[in-house]
Amino acid sequence: MKEFFVSLLGKPDGIILFQLIEATQYTIYLSLIAFIGGGILGGAITLLRIMPSKPAKRFAISYIWLFQSTPLLMLLFLTGLGAPALFGVTVNPWIAAIFSLTMYSSAYMADVWRGAIESVPQGQWEGSRAIGLGFFVTLRKVILPQALRVALAPTVGFMVQIIKGTSLAYIIGFHDLMAIGKRWANAPIEGSEPYIIFPLMALIYFCLCYPLSLWSRWLEKRLGSVSKKPA
């Protein structure tokens, strides 16, 4: 594959483009892991947030407040650079990046999903209790099917924020698109000037994010029109 790019564009252009595209796979892997991990953890935090238990609610609110108030860059510094220096341990950049992005994603997705659940009229809860349904049965059979329509579009849209957030992981040594791009931009090689490299990187990020933005808008319109149809 590398030879194909070199034969097509020559050196160093072919090598640069090949390495940027190759590095993009790690940006995608990190984004997917953070999205899935953040979704699982965010779902648990959402559940604690809406439970009748006051201690559970307080914990969930504190968790969301903590990780929404802490910049992602600071989380990466603390996990990738702070922890190794403080405790004298080696933290793999993959582990540090996954942990930071998962915590960051879970807090925001928990807030999105909590809002979607609270958008369901309170009468749905009251009606379910009136016919003898418990909290978890009501949540699973009555509330979540309605909340899913509200939450789906912003959840897909948040994936864009995760992809853009991965661009900060290079500061802890994570080798993704941003790290390789900056390395080439700083190299004293003709054809790797910043005004060439950074537009290429921006184009790659655009190709990753724009389809997700379009999908999110389509879902929002589609699910919005379905919810407005008369019963």
Side-chain angles (χ1 to χ4, degrees), residues 156-226:
V156 172
F158 186 71
M159 184 66 177
V160 174
Q161 302 303 318
I162 297 176
I163 293 173
K164 291 191 289 186
T166 62
S167 64
L168 298 174
Y170 79 93
I171 64 168
I172 58 172
F174 185 78
H175 294 286
D176 67 337
L177 173 60
M178 179 61 73
I180 300 302
K182 283 182 67 66
R183 184 182 301 170
W184 274 109
N186 294 328
I189 299 174
E190 185 178 356
S192 68
E193 292 83 359
Y195 62 82
I196 295 176
I197 299 299
F198 286 113
L200 276 175
M201 293 165 58
L203 180 60
I204 294 174
Y205 278 114
F206 177 81
C207 291
L208 293 176
C209 295
Y210 188 61
L212 288 171
S213 297
L214 290 179
W215 188 25
S216 176
R217 291 177 187 175
W218 180 83
L219 285 171
E220 189 173 3
K221 292 179 181 178
R222 176 75 174 176
L223 296 174
S225 63
V226 169

Side-chain angles (χ1 to χ4, degrees), residues 9-20:
L9 300 173
K11 293 182 178 180
D13 298 343
I15 298 175
I16 291 172
L17 185 58
F18 168 76
Q19 289 191 0
L20 290 177

Side-chain angles (χ1 to χ4, degrees), residues 23-207:
T24 301
Q25 67 179 313
Y26 301 110
T27 294
I28 295 172
Y29 296 154
L30 179 58
S31 300
L32 287 174
I33 293 171
F35 182 75
I36 295 171
I40 294 171
L41 186 55
I45 297 299
T46 304
L47 181 60
L48 293 176
R49 180 70 177 82
I50 63 172
M51 284 181 67
S53 170
K54 288 185 178 180
K57 281 187 176 182
R58 291 195 190 102
F59 174 82
I61 291 171
S62 299
Y63 178 95
I64 292 170
W65 177 85
L66 174 63
F67 287 104
Q68 284 190 355
S69 301
T70 305
L72 178 57
L73 185 62
M74 185 59 65
L75 282 175
L76 288 163
F77 267 124
L78 290 173
T79 55
L81 302 175
L86 185 61
F87 299 107
V89 296
T90 301
V91 179
N92 187 289
W94 266 100
I95 301 300
I98 289 172
F99 177 84
S100 300
L101 279 159
T102 298
M103 298 299 106
Y104 170 83
S105 303
S106 65
Y108 280 92
M109 284 197 279
D111 224 14
V112 168
W113 295 344
R114 186 267 310 167
I117 290 173
E118 290 184 352
S119 71
V120 178
Q122 188 64 26
Q124 300 284 346
W125 289 98
E126 295 170 355
S128 298
R129 282 197 297 268
I131 61 174
L133 296 181
F135 174 81
F136 290 104
V137 176
T138 300
L139 182 65
R140 180 168 58 88
K141 292 189 175 182
V142 179
I143 304 300
L144 287 183
Q146 299 177 71
L148 180 63
R149 291 182 177 180
V150 179
L152 194 55
T155 299
V156 172
F158 186 71
M159 184 66 177
V160 174
Q161 302 303 318
I162 297 176
I163 293 173
K164 291 191 289 186
T166 62
S167 64
L168 298 174
Y170 79 93
I171 64 168
I172 58 172
F174 185 78
H175 294 286
D176 67 337
L177 173 60
M178 179 61 73
I180 300 302
K182 283 182 67 66
R183 184 182 301 170
W184 274 109
N186 294 328
I189 299 174
E190 185 178 356
S192 68
E193 292 83 359
Y195 62 82
I196 295 176
I197 299 299
F198 286 113
L200 276 175
M201 293 165 58
L203 180 60
I204 294 174
Y205 278 114
F206 177 81
C207 291

